[in-house]
Amino acid sequence: MSERTLSHEQLDTPALLVDLAATDRNIERLLARFRGGPVAVRPHLKTVKSPRFAQRLLAAGASGVCVAKLSEAEVMAAAGVEDILITTELAGAPKLARLVALLREHSQVKVVVDSAAVADGLDRALAGAGLIAEVLLDLDVGQHRCGVLPGRPALELARELRSRPSLRLIGVQGYEGHLQLCADATARERQCRDALAMLADTAQALRADGHEIRIVTTGGTGTALICKTCPGITEVQPGSFVFMDAAYRRVLGNLYEPALRVLTTVISRPRPGEAVVDAGLKSLSTDSGFAEPKHHPDMAYRPAGDEHGILAWDPLRRGEASAPELVVGDRLELIPSHIDTTVNLHDEYHVSVDGRAYQVWPVSARGKVQ
Amino acid sequence: MSERTLSHEQLDTPALLVDLAATDRNIERLLARFRGGPVAVRPHLKTVKSPRFAQRLLAAGASGVCVAKLSEAEVMAAAGVEDILITTELAGAPKLARLVALLREHSQVKVVVDSAAVADGLDRALAGAGLIAEVLLDLDVGQHRCGVLPGRPALELARELRSRPSLRLIGVQGYEGHLQLCADATARERQCRDALAMLADTAQALRADGHEIRIVTTGGTGTALICKTCPGITEVQPGSFVFMDAAYRRVLGNLYEPALRVLTTVISRPRPGEAVVDAGLKSLSTDSGFAEPKHHPDMAYRPAGDEHGILAWDPLRRGEASAPELVVGDRLELIPSHIDTTVNLHDEYHVSVDGRAYQVWPVSARGKVQ
């Protein structure tokens, strides 16, 4: 594939910039902690939405990947990624028809179920095509989103799966999403251990009931290193660590480096203490707070509309005369607050390979919302 | 252009649904109020991001269009829209080079300036290409985003423009964005009149100073009908009225119809009083609050991750047995809280033309963030 390459001067803004060396250091920092151990890493690709980064994760030792929706699975499978776990329940005839088409070519795509209704939909669609899918029970270990409850409800659902010949139960998933951004490290670890004990206990009870449970999967960037030491866990699903973001940095400090920024241009200097930049709600997500200026800790960013953001500082404390005085045309970098939803706003990464040139990599799975 | 058409059953979720009849009624409802009068309508296309809807607005009598950024102008110009006002200041060499390329083919593209620095950048880029651009002074009438202050600062900037031979001053823009969602209708009208008096007074002072000011442009969906009766205003820039959203509905009531929805599927019924749907942060924006279920006023939607949302209701008050009891696979429609940033998450509209079939229209200008 021929690659577009831009110099820093040629970059237009707002633009997603990726520091590939920092990305690779983040990948290595996490993968190295798991290498050779009993717990595998199955990174969640909803963050990066790009097979290019998936390949780097697999090359570093990832055992497979997670995706959040079918379109992401389709993009990754088309790019040659085989062991894909879709971590969200799938329902509805159009989606099930697409899943059948995907499974015909890619038998290692795995799905999750948390109810007989979801299992029935899958089973009917697969049976009609003569296919069998590997399935994980999705457990609610405290997030209270999807998920069957651990213990007896999970055992009963697993028994029901025995009468769905197109579904082969191979594991359990339980995502402690409510703990990922828990700022109190002690509470995060204690609650994570409690949640994962429910997950591991259910896996054991399922095995005792005759089910082959070889995958016990959980964890995110905020808990992956805790999960590693929890008994019975076979793999973790972190995603954000690849690029990091401001929300996770508030929780994890410098465990991983902010490797992705949004480059923006100053378009107005209307008042002392404020500069208006061209990155607003349509290039930086706000669901986890606001982005942070990378090189200017004394400035705060806030969105000011779809295509505007305001950088504000104290002009008395800082002094308008002190460096750097921003002028129209200046460019600076913002660290997104939530990396997943910010990447989702962009069609292209600008990947710095040698610190000078930027390769344009597509955010292949974005836009395909289904 | 051959068109993909889907039945309701073929639609996958989450999906942007557009009721074209309701959209056309919204367009007519606003345009009819201005038809034959002295104030023109220049709709803001950052909402729809699609030339298909731009053409409907122009056919209904719009005098031209606004866009928020250069990529939107490029998409609209390529589709044959000629009178385009870019309402945000442009800066930086890559963007100015693109503007020059656009202006070579489309001389009616207009830009705004709020500083000598922005004017200098434009003038240098245009002079090098032997081009002249029509320019509006961008005034801060109270939003405190971009904009030169009304009165003397505006007069001084206008005088400076005389020495920029590639810029032809033709108007003033002043957007009272801070008032659009002001829930107190009386306060909204009073503050709007005060803001627009500053705009109109500055236009008059500029004329007295020898400038030809033929455009005095302002207003959004929340203030357009107020602007119509303010002295000295020549055009309004509303955008959201085309589709409406929940945020504007809280302010404007039923003045316009919610014509766009996100169709979503129930994927889990884990607890009484809650259903999990497949529309989360990556298909519904949250910068102006949360989406609202269209047909279920007793339910509240909240996002629960990138690809999950939770519909919640009071199971005692409602009774789990009362209709409609949601089951896995059921589909329902959500009204976005903020239409601009929600459309920006999707690549495709599904446009209901006859109430049965859905035509797939591209959201042509999304993804091109620059």
Side-chain angles (χ1 to χ4, degrees):
Chain A
M1 176 172 71
S2 109
E3 201 124 75
R4 261 199 308 145
T5 301
L6 301 171
S7 69
H8 194 271
E9 291 66 35
Q10 290 172 317
L11 287 175
D12 207 341
T13 62
L16 279 190
L17 302 190
V18 174
D19 178 339
L20 193 59
T23 303
D24 284 343
R25 284 194 296 273
N26 285 342
I27 292 173
E28 180 57 24
R29 204 161 296 163
L30 188 133
L31 270 292
R33 303 284 283 265
F34 288 83
R35 208 168 280 143
V39 178
V41 181
R42 180 189 289 278
H44 212 305
L45 302 183
K46 75 187 179 79
T47 303
V48 297
K49 283 184 166 283
S50 151
R52 308 282 291 262
F53 291 104
Q55 297 299 355
R56 297 183 98 82
L57 286 156
L58 291 165
S63 64
V65 302
C66 297
V67 297
K69 56 186 171 186
L70 187 56
S71 55
E72 293 170 353
E74 289 165 342
V75 167
M76 297 305 160
V81 179
E82 290 298 336
D83 186 347
I84 302 172
L85 171 61
I86 305 172
T87 59
T88 313
E89 282 71 11
L90 301 178
K95 197 147 275 132
L96 293 173
R98 287 166 55 203
L99 176 67
V100 165
L102 182 64
L103 273 167
R104 275 189 210 286
E105 306 290 328
H106 303 277
S107 62
Q108 290 185 61
V109 172
K110 299 163 181 59
V111 293
V112 298
V113 302
D114 73 346
S115 68
V118 166
D120 280 344
L122 288 168
D123 188 58
R124 270 196 300 269
L126 295 165
L131 293 169
I132 293 176
E134 294 180 327
V135 170
L136 283 72
L137 278 197
D138 186 22
L139 301 190
D140 178 7
V141 295
Q143 186 183 26
H144 304 327
R145 193 168 66 179
C146 294
V148 63
L149 290 174
R152 176 167 300 279
L155 279 173
E156 287 171 1
L157 179 55
R159 284 178 187 167
E160 283 205 58
L161 294 189
R162 287 187 173 131
S163 60
R164 271 74 173 187
S166 297
L167 306 183
R168 179 179 300 144
L169 181 63
I170 62 156
V172 292
Q173 165 180 279
Y175 177 51
E176 67 291 3
H178 57 303
L179 303 178
Q180 297 304 319
L181 292 170
C182 174
D184 178 338
T186 309
R188 186 166 76 245
E189 172 157 0
R190 191 187 64 243
Q191 292 179 48
C192 183
R193 291 189 179 284
D194 289 349
L196 299 199
M198 289 192 282
L199 182 63
D201 288 351
T202 300
Q204 273 306 99
L206 289 167
R207 291 185 186 112
D209 206 33
H211 300 281
E212 182 216 6
I213 300 296
R214 59 182 169 86
I215 296 180
V216 181
T217 185
T218 182
T221 291
T223 58
L225 298 182
I226 304 168
C227 300
K228 176 171 172 265
T229 65
C230 289
I233 303 304
T234 72
E235 63 177 42
V236 292
Q237 306 185 354
S240 299
F241 74 100
V242 175
F243 295 143
M244 273 298 278
D245 58 31
Y248 266 118
R249 197 168 55 163
R250 284 191 283 273
V251 174
L252 299 177
N254 296 319
L255 183 56
Y256 309 105
E257 300 172 54
L260 182 147
R261 281 88 69 171
V262 170
L263 184 71
T264 187
T265 298
V266 175
I267 60 168
S268 184
R269 275 301 319 273
R271 291 165 295 281
E274 288 193 0
V276 185
V277 296
D278 64 357
L281 296 169
K282 286 182 177 169
S283 53
L284 283 164
S285 68
T286 59
D287 55 87
S288 298
F290 299 159
E292 297 178 359
K294 179 169 167 59
H295 299 290
H296 303 287
D298 55 342
M299 293 185 183
Y301 167 89
R302 67 176 189 270
D306 290 3
E307 306 295 351
H308 299 79
I310 292 181
L311 285 169
W313 60 93
D314 181 341
L316 296 177
R317 177 156 165 264
R318 183 192 182 82
E320 278 293 303
S322 79
E325 186 181 354
L326 295 176
V327 298
V328 168
D330 280 353
R331 307 207 289 184
L332 39 80
E333 298 178 7
L334 299 165
I335 300 173
S337 52
H338 185 186
I339 196 72
D340 299 39
T341 47
T342 293
V343 167
N344 188 54
L345 298 172
H346 294 257
D347 274 2
E348 293 177 341
Y349 288 111
H350 303 86
V351 179
S352 165
V353 178
D354 59 3
R356 287 195 309 274
Y358 291 81
Q359 290 179 7
V360 180
W361 293 13
V363 184
S364 314
R366 88 130 303 288
K368 300 159 189 72
V369 296
Q370 294 130 357
Chain B
M1 176 171 71
S2 109
E3 200 124 75
R4 261 199 308 145
T5 301
L6 302 171
S7 68
H8 195 270
E9 292 66 37
Q10 289 173 317
L11 287 175
D12 207 341
T13 63
L16 278 190
L17 302 190
V18 174
D19 178 338
L20 193 60
T23 303
D24 285 343
R25 284 194 296 273
N26 286 342
I27 292 173
E28 179 59 23
R29 204 162 297 164
L30 187 133
L31 270 291
R33 303 284 284 263
F34 289 84
R35 206 168 282 143
V39 178
V41 181
R42 180 189 287 279
H44 212 305
L45 302 183
K46 75 186 178 79
T47 303
V48 297
K49 284 183 166 282
S50 151
R52 307 283 292 261
F53 291 104
Q55 297 299 356
R56 297 182 98 81
L57 286 157
L58 291 165
S63 64
V65 302
C66 297
V67 297
K69 57 185 170 187
L70 188 55
S71 55
E72 293 170 353
E74 290 166 341
V75 167
M76 298 304 161
V81 180
E82 289 298 337
D83 186 347
I84 302 172
L85 170 61
I86 305 173
T87 59
T88 313
E89 282 71 12
L90 302 179
K95 197 147 275 134
L96 294 172
R98 287 166 56 202
L99 176 67
V100 164
L102 182 65
L103 272 167
R104 275 191 210 285
E105 306 289 328
H106 303 277
S107 61
Q108 290 185 62
V109 172
K110 299 162 182 59
V111 293
V112 297
V113 302
D114 72 348
S115 69
V118 166
D120 280 344
L122 288 168
D123 188 57
R124 270 197 300 271
L126 295 165
L131 292 169
I132 293 178
E134 295 182 326
V135 170
L136 282 72
L137 279 196
D138 187 21
L139 302 190
D140 178 6
V141 295
Q143 187 183 25
H144 304 327
R145 193 167 65 180
C146 293
V148 62
L149 290 174
R152 177 167 300 277
L155 279 173
E156 286 172 1
L157 179 56
R159 283 180 188 165
E160 284 205 57
L161 294 189
R162 288 191 173 127
S163 60
R164 271 75 172 186
S166 298
L167 306 183
R168 179 179 301 145
L169 181 63
I170 62 157
V172 292
Q173 165 180 279
Y175 177 51
E176 68 291 2
H178 57 302
L179 303 178
Q180 296 305 318
L181 291 170
C182 173
D184 177 339
T186 308
R188 186 166 76 246
E189 173 158 358
R190 190 187 65 244
Q191 292 179 48
C192 183
R193 291 189 179 284
D194 290 348
L196 298 199
M198 290 193 283
L199 182 65
D201 288 351
T202 299
Q204 273 307 99
L206 289 167
R207 291 186 186 112
D209 207 32
H211 301 282
E212 183 216 6
I213 300 296
R214 59 183 170 85
I215 296 180
V216 182
T217 185
T218 182
T221 291
T223 60
L225 298 182
I226 304 168
C227 301
K228 177 172 172 264
T229 65
C230 289
I233 303 305
T234 72
E235 62 177 43
V236 292
Q237 305 185 355
S240 299
F241 74 100
V242 175
F243 295 143
M244 273 298 278
D245 58 31
Y248 266 120
R249 197 167 56 163
R250 283 191 283 273
V251 174
L252 300 177
N254 295 319
L255 184 56
Y256 310 105
E257 300 172 55
L260 182 146
R261 280 88 70 170
V262 170
L263 184 70
T264 187
T265 299
V266 174
I267 59 169
S268 184
R269 275 302 318 274
R271 291 166 294 281
E274 287 193 0
V276 185
V277 296
D278 64 357
L281 296 168
K282 286 183 178 169
S283 53
L284 283 164
S285 69
T286 58
D287 55 86
S288 298
F290 299 159
E292 297 178 359
K294 179 167 167 60
H295 300 290
H296 303 287
D298 54 342
M299 293 184 184
Y301 166 88
R302 66 176 189 269
D306 290 1
E307 307 294 351
H308 299 78
I310 292 180
L311 284 169
W313 60 91
D314 181 342
L316 296 177
R317 177 157 164 264
R318 182 193 182 83
E320 278 292 304
S322 79
E325 186 181 354
L326 294 176
V327 298
V328 168
D330 279 355
R331 307 207 289 183
L332 39 80
E333 299 178 7
L334 299 165
I335 300 173
S337 52
H338 185 185
I339 196 74
D340 299 39
T341 46
T342 293
V343 168
N344 188 54
L345 297 172
H346 294 257
D347 274 1
E348 293 176 341
Y349 289 112
H350 302 86
V351 179
S352 164
V353 178
D354 60 2
R356 287 195 308 276
Y358 291 82
Q359 290 180 6
V360 179
W361 293 13
V363 184
S364 314
R366 87 133 302 289
K368 300 158 190 72
V369 296
Q370 295 128 359

